[in-house]
Amino acid sequence: MSLTINTLGIVGAGQMGSGIAHVCAAAGIQVRLNDVSEDRINGALATINGNMARQVAKGSMDEPARQAALGRITGAKSFDDLAGCDLVIEAATENEEVKRSIFVALCRALPPETLLATNTSSISITRLAAATNRPEKFIGIHFMNPVPVMQLVELIRGIATEDATFDSAKAFINRLGKTLTVSEDFPAFIVNRILLPMINEAVYTLYEGVGSVESIDTAMRLGANHPMGPLQLADFIGLDTCLSVMQVLHDGLADSKYRPCPLLVKYVEAGWLGRKTKRGFYDYRGDKPVPTR
Ligand code: NAD
């Protein structure tokens, strides 16, 4: 029997966790948002508040709806606060060890009927499910960034995912008004299997001196009709996430064509992770983004 998702828990209140909270609360779902510190949770609540205010200013949401949606989101200081949720989505850092330890701890705090999902961009759903005590109630629900804007959600079942879990996730995504595609559980699924090697190639193009940051992005915007250049998009996704996805592709498919560009590694080692740290292929600390190479 599929389950209706009325209360949702989210672990990881970064770019994606706050976006998921935003759209779910706007769709009438109660949301409990967890992260490693109260500061992070409060930061996410402030971001959601600001993003909804922007929707009101643009006329895509009215003020009573904003107030009602904000009222549906509460902070969850511990996993025990997620015990009444129908579904808990993990949207923490793209690192398998981090995610596995979250799922182990979540399983201790949640009753056996609670569904579990991961928003991972690349990591095996079957392997993450194996870290839980309920692989049949586990699924990949991959939202795109920014969640309030992007129409697609990729659904990925693990080897043990039951039909009822799949149906519950499908109904949940439909309720958000999003469109879903189904991907098989292979490294990086569909969107990132295609997108990330292109971004990695753009970083190689920069690394080898074929073009500057500005010429690479302009070339792809005006020459391939992409709404954003690949390096601008990499900054938007987060360079740590881009590198992790390339590592998962490289390890999982054992093909040298997925070798992460050394320049991408260097930016991540410098802590230049893109927009979220205010520096990546562009420097965002001033009024206008300035290329860093
Ligand atoms: P982010 O760096 O903005 O946020 C990650 C959050 O997870 C941080 O707030 C961090 O404090 C928190 N976190 C880390 N360990 C935790 C723990 N043990 N318990 C609770 N919270 C913890 O990253 P993001 O861009 O929001 O990405 C999150 C996930 O979504 C990743 O798996 C990523 O691959 C995936 N994703 C990202 C994008 C994108 O474009 N950025 C798109 C789709 C999916």
Side-chain angles (χ1 to χ4, degrees), residues 15-16 35 40 92-94 99 119 121 143 145 237 276:
Q15 308 188 105
M16 295 306 292
D35 204 299
R40 291 240 173 205
T93 313
E94 186 74 350
K99 291 184 187 295
N119 186 50
S121 301
F143 287 88
N145 183 24
I237 293 169
K276 64 185 171 188

Side-chain angles (χ1 to χ4, degrees), residues 83-101:
C85 295
D86 303 305
L87 164 71
V88 176
I89 301 183
E90 169 279 315
T93 313
E94 186 74 350
N95 174 302
E96 187 161 340
E97 273 322 298
V98 169
K99 291 184 187 295
R100 289 174 77 94
S101 59

Side-chain angles (χ1 to χ4, degrees), residues 125 154-158 181-190:
I125 304 304
E154 270 184 304
L155 258 191
I156 311 107
R157 25 187 348 157
T181 53
V182 178
S183 312
E184 287 298 319
D185 187 17
F186 284 100
F189 322 123
I190 294 176

Side-chain angles (χ1 to χ4, degrees), residues 10-20 34-37 40-41 44 79 90-95 97-99 101-102 118-123 141-147 192 195 233-242 244-245 273 276:
I10 301 173
V11 177
Q15 308 188 105
M16 295 306 292
S18 49
I20 296 166
N34 167 269
D35 204 299
V36 289
S37 70
R40 291 240 173 205
I41 298 171
F79 291 169
E90 169 279 315
T93 313
E94 186 74 350
N95 174 302
E97 273 322 298
V98 169
K99 291 184 187 295
S101 59
I102 288 172
T118 174
N119 186 50
T120 181
S121 301
S122 59
I123 300 167
I141 305 183
H142 181 215
F143 287 88
M144 308 291 136
N145 183 24
V147 185
N192 287 327
L195 183 63
L233 180 56
D235 274 359
F236 199 76
I237 293 169
L239 303 191
D240 53 338
T241 301
C242 291
S244 295
V245 174
L273 307 182
K276 64 185 171 188

Side-chain angles (χ1 to χ4, degrees), residues 25-288:
I29 296 168
Q30 298 292 331
V31 177
R32 300 182 193 166
L33 193 53
N34 167 269
D35 204 299
V36 289
S37 70
E38 242 181 303
D39 274 3
R40 291 240 173 205
I41 298 171
N42 290 337
L45 293 173
T47 302
I48 297 165
N49 194 343
N51 289 342
M52 286 187 179
R54 220 170 318 133
Q55 284 187 305
V56 172
K58 277 196 317 200
S60 58
M61 187 186 250
D62 62 28
E63 185 53 29
R66 179 175 89 105
Q67 294 296 343
L70 288 173
R72 287 185 202 106
I73 309 175
T74 50
K77 285 188 214 149
S78 79
F79 291 169
D80 291 336
D81 296 336
L82 304 177
C85 295
D86 303 305
L87 164 71
V88 176
I89 301 183
E90 169 279 315
T93 313
E94 186 74 350
N95 174 302
E96 187 161 340
E97 273 322 298
V98 169
K99 291 184 187 295
R100 289 174 77 94
S101 59
I102 288 172
F103 284 119
V104 168
L106 268 176
C107 284
R108 281 193 216 112
L110 302 177
E113 65 274 13
T114 311
L115 302 179
L116 291 175
T118 174
N119 186 50
T120 181
S121 301
S122 59
I123 300 167
S124 163
I125 304 304
T126 298
R127 249 187 355 252
L128 290 176
T132 75
N133 57 8
R134 62 196 79 182
E136 67 288 351
K137 295 194 188 307
F138 191 98
I139 192 160
I141 305 183
H142 181 215
F143 287 88
M144 308 291 136
N145 183 24
V147 185
V149 176
M150 300 296 278
Q151 187 57 36
L152 184 75
V153 178
E154 270 184 304
L155 258 191
I156 311 107
R157 25 187 348 157
I159 201 164
T161 309
E162 274 175 355
D163 287 347
T165 305
F166 184 79
D167 291 345
S168 304
K170 223 163 130 178
F172 164 65
I173 293 162
N174 287 336
R175 177 164 172 195
L176 304 179
K178 303 275 188 205
T179 303
L180 68 89
T181 53
V182 178
S183 312
E184 287 298 319
D185 187 17
F186 284 100
F189 322 123
I190 294 176
V191 173
N192 287 327
R193 169 81 178 257
I194 299 170
L195 183 63
L196 264 296
M198 185 203 68
I199 287 176
N200 194 47
E201 200 59 30
V203 185
Y204 268 113
T205 310
L206 179 68
Y207 177 61
E208 291 170 8
V210 182
S212 63
V213 167
E214 209 156 9
S215 33
I216 292 166
D217 276 350
T218 305
M220 292 307 284
R221 270 192 299 109
L222 305 184
N225 212 16
H226 289 190
M228 247 187 217
L231 300 173
Q232 192 190 357
L233 180 56
D235 274 359
F236 199 76
I237 293 169
L239 303 191
D240 53 338
T241 301
C242 291
L243 177 59
S244 295
V245 174
M246 288 312 299
Q247 283 163 339
V248 168
L249 281 167
H250 195 232
D251 294 347
L253 299 169
D255 189 329
S256 62
K257 75 179 178 182
Y258 298 115
R259 191 168 68 98
C261 179
L263 185 61
L264 179 61
V265 176
K266 193 182 272 188
Y267 269 75
V268 173
E269 284 173 348
W272 292 14
L273 307 182
R275 276 182 177 272
K276 64 185 171 188
T277 57
K278 303 229 178 297
R279 232 185 313 187
F281 292 112
Y282 294 84
D283 186 332
Y284 301 93
R285 291 171 300 169
D287 292 342
K288 262 192 1 201

